[in-house]
Coordinates of all heavy atoms in Angstrom, one line a residue:
V38 N 115.0 116.9 96.7 CA 114.1 117.6 95.8 C 114.9 117.8 94.5 O 115.8 118.7 94.4 CB 113.6 118.9 96.4 CG1 112.5 119.5 95.4 CG2 112.9 118.6 97.7
T39 N 114.5 117.1 93.4 CA 115.3 117.1 92.2 C 114.7 118.0 91.1 O 115.2 118.0 90.0 CB 115.4 115.6 91.7 OG1 114.1 115.0 91.7 CG2 116.3 114.8 92.5
K40 N 113.7 118.8 91.5 CA 113.1 119.7 90.5 C 114.1 120.6 89.8 O 115.0 121.0 90.4 CB 112.0 120.6 91.2 CG 112.6 121.5 92.2 CD 111.5 122.3 93.0 CE 112.2 123.2 94.0 NZ 111.2 123.7 95.0
T41 N 113.9 120.7 88.5 CA 114.7 121.5 87.5 C 116.0 120.8 87.2 O 116.7 121.2 86.3 CB 115.1 122.9 88.0 OG1 116.1 122.9 89.0 CG2 113.9 123.7 88.5
Y42 N 116.4 119.7 87.9 CA 117.6 118.9 87.6 C 117.2 117.7 86.7 O 116.1 117.1 86.9 CB 118.3 118.6 88.8 CG 119.0 119.8 89.4 CD1 118.4 120.5 90.4 CD2 120.3 120.2 88.9 CE1 119.1 121.7 90.8 CE2 120.9 121.3 89.3 CZ 120.3 122.1 90.3 OH 120.9 123.2 90.8
P43 N 118.1 117.2 85.9 CA 117.8 116.2 84.9 C 117.7 114.7 85.5 O 118.2 114.5 86.7 CB 119.0 116.2 83.9 CG 120.1 116.8 84.7 CD 119.5 117.7 85.7
A44 N 117.2 113.9 84.8 CA 117.1 112.5 85.2 C 118.4 111.8 85.5 O 118.6 111.0 86.3 CB 116.3 111.7 84.1
S45 N 119.5 112.3 84.8 CA 120.8 111.8 85.0 C 121.2 112.0 86.4 O 121.9 111.2 87.0 CB 121.8 112.4 84.0 OG 121.7 113.8 84.1
D46 N 120.8 113.2 87.0 CA 121.2 113.5 88.4 C 120.4 112.5 89.3 O 120.9 112.1 90.4 CB 120.8 114.9 88.8 CG 121.9 115.9 88.4 OD1 123.0 115.5 87.9 OD2 121.7 117.1 88.4
V47 N 119.2 112.2 89.0 CA 118.4 111.3 89.8 C 119.1 109.9 89.8 O 119.2 109.3 90.9 CB 116.9 111.2 89.3 CG1 116.2 110.1 90.1 CG2 116.2 112.5 89.3
R48 N 119.6 109.5 88.7 CA 120.3 108.3 88.6 C 121.6 108.3 89.4 O 121.8 107.3 90.1 CB 120.6 108.1 87.1 CG 120.8 106.7 86.6 CD 120.7 106.6 85.1 NE 119.2 106.4 84.7 CZ 118.6 105.2 84.9 NH1 119.2 104.1 85.3 NH2 117.3 105.1 84.6
I49 N 122.3 109.3 89.4 CA 123.5 109.4 90.2 C 123.1 109.4 91.7 O 123.8 108.6 92.5 CB 124.3 110.7 89.9 CG1 124.8 110.7 88.5 CG2 125.5 110.9 90.9 CD1 125.5 112.0 88.0
L50 N 122.1 110.1 92.1 CA 121.7 110.1 93.5 C 121.3 108.7 93.9 O 121.6 108.3 95.1 CB 120.5 111.1 93.7 CG 120.8 112.6 93.5 CD1 119.6 113.4 93.4 CD2 121.7 113.0 94.7
H51 N 120.6 108.0 93.1 CA 120.3 106.6 93.4 C 121.5 105.8 93.6 O 121.6 105.0 94.6 CB 119.4 106.0 92.3 CG 118.9 104.6 92.6 ND1 119.6 103.5 92.2 CD2 117.9 104.2 93.3 CE1 119.0 102.4 92.7 NE2 117.9 102.8 93.3
E52 N 122.5 105.9 92.8 CA 123.8 105.2 92.9 C 124.4 105.6 94.3 O 125.1 104.8 94.9 CB 124.8 105.6 91.8 CG 124.5 105.0 90.4 CD 125.4 105.6 89.3 OE1 126.4 106.1 89.7 OE2 125.0 105.5 88.2
L53 N 124.2 106.8 94.7 CA 124.8 107.3 96.0 C 123.9 106.9 97.2 O 124.2 107.3 98.3 CB 125.0 108.8 95.9 CG 126.1 109.3 94.9 CD1 126.1 110.8 94.8 CD2 127.5 108.8 95.3
G54 N 122.9 106.2 97.0 CA 122.1 105.7 98.1 C 120.8 106.4 98.4 O 120.1 106.0 99.3
V55 N 120.5 107.4 97.6 CA 119.2 108.2 97.8 C 118.0 107.3 97.4 O 118.1 106.6 96.3 CB 119.2 109.5 97.1 CG1 117.8 110.1 97.1 CG2 120.3 110.4 97.7
R56 N 117.0 107.2 98.2 CA 115.9 106.4 97.8 C 114.5 107.2 97.8 O 113.5 106.6 97.4 CB 115.7 105.2 98.8 CG 116.8 104.2 98.7 CD 116.8 103.5 97.4 NE 117.9 102.5 97.2 CZ 119.1 102.8 96.6 NH1 119.3 104.1 96.1 NH2 120.0 101.9 96.5
H57 N 114.6 108.4 98.2 CA 113.4 109.3 98.2 C 113.7 110.5 97.4 O 114.6 111.3 97.7 CB 112.9 109.7 99.6 CG 112.4 108.5 100.4 ND1 111.1 108.2 100.5 CD2 113.1 107.6 101.1 CE1 110.9 107.2 101.3 NE2 112.1 106.7 101.6
V58 N 112.9 110.8 96.3 CA 113.1 112.1 95.6 C 111.7 112.8 95.5 O 110.7 112.2 95.7 CB 113.6 111.8 94.2 CG1 115.0 111.3 94.2 CG2 112.7 110.8 93.4
A59 N 111.8 114.1 95.3 CA 110.5 114.9 95.2 C 110.6 115.8 94.0 O 111.7 116.3 93.6 CB 110.3 115.7 96.5
E60 N 109.4 116.1 93.5 CA 109.3 117.0 92.3 C 108.1 117.9 92.6 O 107.2 117.5 93.4 CB 109.0 116.1 91.1 CG 110.2 115.4 90.6 CD 111.2 116.3 89.8 OE1 110.8 117.3 89.3 OE2 112.4 115.9 89.9
N61 N 108.0 119.0 91.9 CA 106.9 119.9 92.2 C 106.1 120.3 91.0 O 105.1 121.1 91.1 CB 107.3 121.2 92.9 CG 108.1 122.1 92.0 OD1 108.7 121.7 91.1 ND2 108.1 123.4 92.4
R62 N 106.5 119.9 89.8 CA 105.7 120.2 88.6 C 105.6 118.9 87.7 O 106.6 118.3 87.4 CB 106.5 121.1 87.7 CG 106.5 122.6 88.1 CD 107.5 123.3 87.2 NE 107.7 124.6 87.7 CZ 107.5 125.7 87.0 NH1 107.1 125.5 85.7 NH2 107.8 126.8 87.5

Side-chain angles (χ1 to χ4, degrees):
V38 184
T39 48
K40 65 188 182 194
T41 77
Y42 285 94
S45 55
D46 279 350
V47 177
R48 205 160 271 285
I49 295 171
L50 289 167
H51 183 269
E52 287 171 20
L53 293 170
V55 170
R56 291 296 176 265
H57 292 262
V58 293
E60 289 283 332
N61 72 335
R62 286 169 187 239

